[in-house]
């Protein structure tokens, strides 16, 4: 039974546990994977991998525990808006950082020519 | 159903949506607060990769990982409590709230051990700081700010959850109240903040 704003919520403890236990197991598996991969030689990609796994964990929590899977457009919009503002924050700051690097950043002058001293950010 | 519905809502469903909406707006401001700090961390890491890798190796990865597992589990128990309250399951609600509080306290206890070990290793920026690299100071300044701000959010969340649990225990607040779900949303956001802090503070510089 699915009505309007996702009122088809579980009514018994076992139904609730069926919903949430697999999410928790997935979260713990991702935690284990992220710890193990942090020690693996991934040639500088360790940071990207660990942040990617963190994003997957955050999505699991938001979708299943914070109920964004329920078809409520208002709440999805409110949650998504924060993400959009944060992406502006990061995109504009890093655009500025990358564009200005050679003149004003601490490593200026130590680089090898005209390459900006920015390295792999993560 | 009766008792939980308040003015001006005509249905519990609308009231629940309004409470969740208001909470999501608040969570947006919380997310921006932490995003500012994480942005500062990301910029400094981009500018000083060597110092940040060096400093990242000094954090207590075992305690940080244990705390991540504890917090993920507390989100599970909080989700169970909120869903059980909505389904009017009193025992499951109270158990969920009790376990959430216990796991929150366990997180803060582990954090306390970790902080004291950090202090013993002179990892607090300032006089006598253990690492020579100047940017390691920045890493640990952000480490202390972010972990203590997060711990304060844990304390705040535990206060709210304990208060709701007390009301549910005494029967002062009907289980259908949207407050349980709103508190759970806040708890999960504090969990998400930690999920992001974990790779930044504990996993950097571990690979050979």
């Amino acid at each position: 039974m699915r009505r309007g704003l996702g009122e088809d919520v579980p009514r018994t403890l076992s139904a609730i546990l069926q919903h949430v236990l697999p999410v928790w197991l997935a979260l713990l598996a991702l935690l284990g994977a992220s710890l193990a991969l942090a020690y693996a030689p991934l040639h500088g990609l360790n940071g990207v991998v660990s942040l990617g796994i963190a994003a997957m964990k955050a999505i699991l929590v938001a979708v299943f525990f914070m109920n964004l899977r329920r078809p409520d457009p208002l709440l999805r919009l409110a949650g998504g808006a924060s993400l959009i503002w944060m992406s502006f924050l990061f995109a504009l700051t890093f655009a500025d950082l990358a564009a200005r690097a050679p003149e004003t950043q601490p490593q200026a002058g130590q680089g090898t020519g005209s390459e900006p001293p920015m390295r792999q950010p993560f | 159903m009766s008792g939980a519905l308040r003015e001006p809502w005509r249905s519990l469903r609308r009231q629940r949506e309004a409470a969740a909406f208001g909470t999501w707006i608040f969570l947006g401001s919380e997310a921006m607060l932490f995003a500012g700090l994480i942005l500062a961390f990301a910029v400094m890491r981009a500018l000083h990769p060597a110092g940040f890798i060096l400093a990242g190796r000094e954090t207590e990865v075992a305690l940080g990982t244990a705390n991540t597992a504890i917090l993920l589990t507390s989100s599970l128990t909080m989700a169970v409590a909120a869903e059980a309250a909505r389904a009017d399951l009193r025992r499951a609600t109270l158990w969920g709230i009790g376990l959430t509080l216990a796991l929150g306290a366990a997180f803060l206890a582990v954090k306390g051990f970790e902080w004291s070990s950090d202090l013993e290793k002179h990892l607090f920026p300032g006089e006598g700081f253990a690492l020579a690299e100047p940017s390691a100071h920045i890493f640990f300044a952000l480490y202390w700010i972010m972990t203590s701000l997060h711990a304060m959010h844990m304390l705040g969340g535990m206060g709210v959850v304990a208060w709701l649990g007390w009301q549910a225990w005494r029967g002062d607040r009907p289980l259908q109240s949207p407050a349980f779900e709103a508190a759970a949303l806040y708890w999960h956001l504090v969990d998400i903040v930690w999920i992001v802090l974990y790779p930044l503070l504990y996993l950097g510089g571990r690979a050979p």
Side-chain angles (χ1 to χ4, degrees), chain B residues 81-141:
Chain B
E83 291 290 312
R86 190 167 177 162
D88 218 9
L89 304 169
R90 180 182 150 82
R91 260 167 58 94
T93 308
L94 292 174
W95 267 105
I97 285 177
L99 286 172
T100 305
L101 288 173
L103 289 163
F107 176 92
L108 289 177
V110 172
K111 199 79 222 145
F113 285 121
E114 189 186 334
W115 280 334
S116 89
S117 146
D118 293 336
L119 288 177
E120 265 170 35
K121 292 194 289 180
H122 301 287
L123 291 175
F124 196 86
E127 279 297 308
F129 185 64
L131 304 170
E133 197 74 31
S135 55
H137 280 81
I138 303 176
F139 177 98
F140 272 98

Side-chain angles (χ1 to χ4, degrees), chain B residues 7-88:
Chain B
E7 289 287 335
W9 289 283
R10 290 172 65 187
S11 76
L12 205 51
R13 200 187 72 182
R14 286 283 173 200
Q15 182 181 350
R16 210 186 290 281
E17 190 187 22
F21 180 52
T23 308
W24 270 108
I25 300 288
F26 168 62
L27 296 188
S29 74
E30 286 279 30
M32 293 306 283
L33 168 67
F34 279 102
L37 285 167
I38 290 167
L39 177 71
F41 186 96
V43 168
M44 287 301 158
R45 181 164 167 174
L47 292 176
H48 311 282
F52 267 53
I53 283 173
L54 196 82
R57 287 193 187 125
E58 299 298 317
T59 52
E60 299 277 357
V61 66
L63 295 181
T65 306
N67 254 349
T68 310
I70 290 172
L71 215 49
L72 291 173
T73 310
S74 81
S75 258
L76 169 81
T77 57
M78 189 73 238
V80 169
E83 291 290 312
R86 190 167 177 162
D88 218 9

Side-chain angles (χ1 to χ4, degrees), chain B residues 145-171:
Chain B
I145 292 170
M146 294 198 289
T147 54
S148 54
L149 185 67
H150 180 267
M152 278 189 253
H153 279 77
M154 290 290 296
L155 276 179
M158 286 168 70
V160 172
V161 171
W163 176 59
L164 289 178
W166 173 246
Q167 288 185 320
W169 174 268
R170 296 192 11 137

Side-chain angles (χ1 to χ4, degrees), chain A residues 7 24 38-39 70 72 82 107, chain B residues 17 28 47 73 83 86 207:
Chain A
E7 291 294 281
W24 174 67
Y39 287 87
R70 288 186 195 147
D72 189 327
S82 306
Q107 287 115 323
Chain B
E17 190 187 22
L47 292 176
T73 310
E83 291 290 312
R86 190 167 177 162

Side-chain angles (χ1 to χ4, degrees), chain A residues 10-22, chain B residues 80 83-84 87 89 92:
Chain A
R11 311 304 308 178
T12 64
L13 182 58
S14 63
I16 290 169
L17 291 176
Q18 267 175 34
H19 271 88
V20 293
L21 278 179
Chain B
V80 169
E83 291 290 312
L89 304 169

Side-chain angles (χ1 to χ4, degrees), chain A residues 10-89:
Chain A
R11 311 304 308 178
T12 64
L13 182 58
S14 63
I16 290 169
L17 291 176
Q18 267 175 34
H19 271 88
V20 293
L21 278 179
V23 181
W24 174 67
L25 288 175
L27 285 169
L28 289 188
L30 285 171
L31 170 63
S34 117
L35 179 66
L37 288 173
Y39 287 87
L42 300 181
H43 311 291
L45 287 178
N46 293 76
V48 179
V49 168
S50 67
L51 283 174
I53 293 179
M56 285 158 72
K57 286 197 281 191
I59 289 169
L60 282 178
V61 171
V63 169
F64 292 100
F65 288 167
M66 300 174 89
N67 297 324
L68 286 185
R69 74 181 185 285
R70 288 186 195 147
D72 189 327
L74 182 65
L75 302 186
R76 287 176 175 177
L77 208 57
S82 306
L83 272 187
I84 290 177
W85 295 123
M86 279 189 282
S87 68
F88 285 168
L89 183 71

